[in-house]
Amino acid sequence: MRYIFYSAALFATAALPLFGAGNSPYIHTVFEYCPAPGQFVNELPEYTEGDTYEDMLSKAADELCGDRMPGMITLGAYGGYVVFGFDHPVVNVPGVYDFKIYGNAYISDRDNRGGSSEPGIVMVSADTNGNGLPDDPWYELAGSEYSKPSTMHGYQMTYYAPGDGHVADPDPDYSFITDRTYIRWTSNDEAAPEGYVMRNKQHTQSYWPGWVTEASMRFSGARLADNYIETSGNGTYFVLTFYDWGYADNLPNNEDRGFNIEWAVDEDGNPVMLDKIDFVKVYTGVNQYCGWLGESSTEVSGAEDLHPDTGSVAGAAADTELLAVIYCDSSVLHVRTSAGTMPYDIYTVSGCLAARGMLHNGHNMIGVETLPKGMYVLRAGSRTLKFMK
C-alpha cells in the first residue's frame, strides 16, 4: 500500500496580486492546502473532476486571499491543514496580539459555553533561509490547552481510502449515518487506536480529497481533548465548547482577540523568541465525532495582520530571554519565560504590592482569583509588564 505523509513539505504556492501601496493586512499567498477526509471536503472549496493539487491550491487561494473574510475552506478531520502568508513579515510587537485567523465558530448554548467550536492548532515559522518558502522550523503557538494532561503531543493518525469494492454500512440505530465504516483511520493513541470517518445523509459527495490518488494519508501533531457536550441525552444536540484562548475557529470572530507570536514554543515546549514570522499553519486539532453533526473540522475564512504597517522588526521583541504575559482570565495569569527561575512581584497601578512568587522556565500559571478586576504590573528581574484582569 502506498502512503502519502503530510508534513511541511512544499507542493506549490498560489497567490493573488496586491493592489495599492503599502502592506496588505490580509492573506497574500496560500503555500499548501492539505485537508484530511471530511464531510465538507470537495465542497469547501469545490472539487471538479480532474482538478489537480495545483488547481485546488488555487481555489483555496481564491477563498482566502486579498480581503478580511473573502471565503471559506475546510481542513477536514484531525490533522488537515493549510499554510499561508502575507505580503510582508508579521512583526512580533511585545505584549500585544499580532494577527487574527477568522473561522465560523458561533454561540448556540444559552450559558455561552460553546456552540460550533472546531479548534485548529496554529503554528508559525520565520523564513530564516531567505528562500520565500515554508521549509524552515515550525513552532506551535501554545494555547490554553497546551500544558494540560488531556492534550496529547506527538499524536499520529493515518486515514485509508475506501476501496473500489467498499460497500456502505448504514447504522441501524441512527438513520443519519449512511456509512459507519466509510473511511478507516488508525492512530498511536492506545485508548483509541482506530475508528472511522463516517458518512452522513447531509453530505453525499466523496469525503476523500478528490485530487489525492494515494491509498492513505498520514498526519501528526498535537491532539486536543474532545470539546463536545451532548445536552439532549438522546444524541440529538451537541454543544462544542470553547477553549479559553489560542486556537483558530474556536471562538466567534468578534470575541477572539487573536494570536501572539510570543506564545511560540519549540517541539519540547520551550519558549522561542521570534521577532517576526513569515508563514502560518493551521491544522484541525481534535479527533471527535458528534452524532448527526459528523466529525469536527476546522474552517478558515481569512486572516489579518493586526499591525501591518509596523514596517520593520526594529520595534519587535529582540530579547534573547523571553518574559511575556500571555493571557489573564478571572482566576489565572499565564506568563511565559525563558529566563530561568526568578522571583516576581505584582503591584497595583498605585504601587501597592498585591502578590509575589517565583517564575520558572516555560509556561507559568499564577492564581489571581483573589485580585479585584483592574490593571496590574508584573515585575520580574529587569522586566516590567502590565496586564489587565
Side-chain angles (χ1 to χ4, degrees):
M1 179 175 289
R2 296 173 60 201
Y3 286 80
I4 181 168
F5 181 74
Y6 288 111
S7 61
L10 181 71
F11 293 91
T13 65
L16 293 181
L18 285 180
F19 300 94
N23 295 331
S24 168
Y26 309 120
I27 296 174
H28 177 255
T29 306
V30 176
F31 293 94
E32 300 179 32
Y33 175 54
C34 303
Q39 61 186 317
F40 297 106
V41 171
N42 298 315
E43 290 185 341
L44 295 173
E46 184 177 1
Y47 169 78
T48 300
E49 186 68 30
D51 279 347
T52 64
Y53 172 81
E54 289 74 18
D55 294 328
M56 296 305 296
L57 188 64
S58 179
K59 290 182 178 183
D62 290 341
E63 296 294 323
L64 295 184
C65 292
D67 207 344
R68 184 170 178 266
M69 290 188 287
M72 185 179 296
I73 65 170
T74 186
L75 303 184
Y78 173 82
Y81 70 89
V82 64
V83 176
F84 60 81
F86 301 86
D87 68 343
H88 60 280
V90 178
V91 175
N92 180 4
V93 177
V96 303
Y97 295 93
D98 297 304
F99 64 94
K100 287 192 69 170
I101 298 172
Y102 298 106
N104 65 344
Y106 61 85
I107 297 173
S108 65
D109 175 58
R110 69 178 64 184
D111 297 321
N112 293 338
R113 293 172 299 175
S116 66
S117 173
E118 298 178 296
I121 293 172
V122 178
M123 304 186 74
V124 295
S125 178
D127 187 17
T128 55
N129 62 17
N131 67 356
L133 302 176
D135 54 4
D136 308 273
W138 285 98
Y139 304 101
E140 183 173 339
L141 296 187
S144 59
E145 311 306 295
Y146 182 86
S147 299
K148 294 183 178 180
S150 56
T151 297
M152 182 176 178
H153 298 278
Y155 186 64
Q156 296 180 2
M157 188 168 176
T158 302
Y159 300 92
Y160 303 91
D164 292 338
H166 175 76
V167 177
D169 179 24
D171 193 312
D173 298 319
Y174 299 100
S175 61
F176 54 81
I177 297 177
T178 59
D179 192 352
R180 57 183 175 179
T181 60
Y182 181 33
I183 296 176
R184 180 173 172 262
W185 57 261
T186 58
S187 81
N188 63 343
D189 181 3
E190 294 181 356
E194 62 181 346
Y196 293 92
V197 176
M198 301 184 220
R199 198 170 190 171
N200 61 58
K201 65 181 182 181
Q202 290 92 349
H203 300 276
T204 59
Q205 87 290 351
S206 172
Y207 293 7
W208 189 266
W211 60 98
V212 174
T213 59
E214 287 78 8
S216 61
M217 306 170 70
R218 184 180 299 160
F219 298 89
S220 63
R223 192 206 68 206
L224 306 173
D226 293 352
N227 70 327
Y228 71 85
I229 301 173
E230 203 293 302
T231 61
S232 69
N234 56 19
T236 61
Y237 197 84
F238 290 81
V239 174
L240 278 59
T241 60
F242 302 132
Y243 290 127
D244 289 338
W245 51 272
Y247 300 97
D249 199 22
N250 171 51
L251 293 166
N253 291 326
N254 62 347
E255 295 190 13
D256 186 358
R257 291 188 282 182
F259 297 86
N260 189 329
I261 296 172
E262 292 168 18
W263 300 347
V265 295
D266 65 17
E267 60 184 7
D268 297 318
N270 300 311
V272 176
M273 195 63 224
L274 301 171
D275 54 16
K276 66 176 181 65
I277 56 128
D278 297 278
F279 313 110
V280 179
K281 176 179 180 179
V282 184
Y283 67 92
T284 300
V286 291
N287 177 23
Q288 64 184 14
Y289 196 86
C290 303
W292 66 273
L293 289 177
E295 78 289 338
S296 293
S297 59
T298 301
E299 273 75 54
V300 177
S301 60
E304 181 176 1
D305 180 352
L306 296 177
H307 39 73
D309 297 322
T310 301
S312 72
V313 298
D319 295 347
T320 57
E321 293 185 338
L322 169 70
L323 176 65
V325 170
I326 303 302
Y327 191 85
C328 187
D329 56 30
S330 61
S331 60
V332 178
L333 170 66
H334 298 262
V335 178
R336 186 166 294 129
T337 179
S338 62
T341 301
M342 68 173 78
Y344 71 84
D345 297 309
I346 296 176
Y347 297 90
T348 66
V349 291
S350 61
C352 296
L353 181 65
R356 66 188 344 166
M358 296 294 293
L359 293 176
H360 303 279
N361 210 50
H363 191 135
N364 295 263
M365 293 183 286
I366 301 171
V368 293
E369 62 274 3
T370 61
L371 299 182
K373 291 183 178 180
M375 180 75 72
Y376 293 89
V377 175
L378 171 74
R379 181 174 297 168
S382 61
R383 296 290 298 277
T384 300
L385 303 171
K386 292 182 180 179
F387 69 92
M388 178 74 74
K389 179 189 173 184

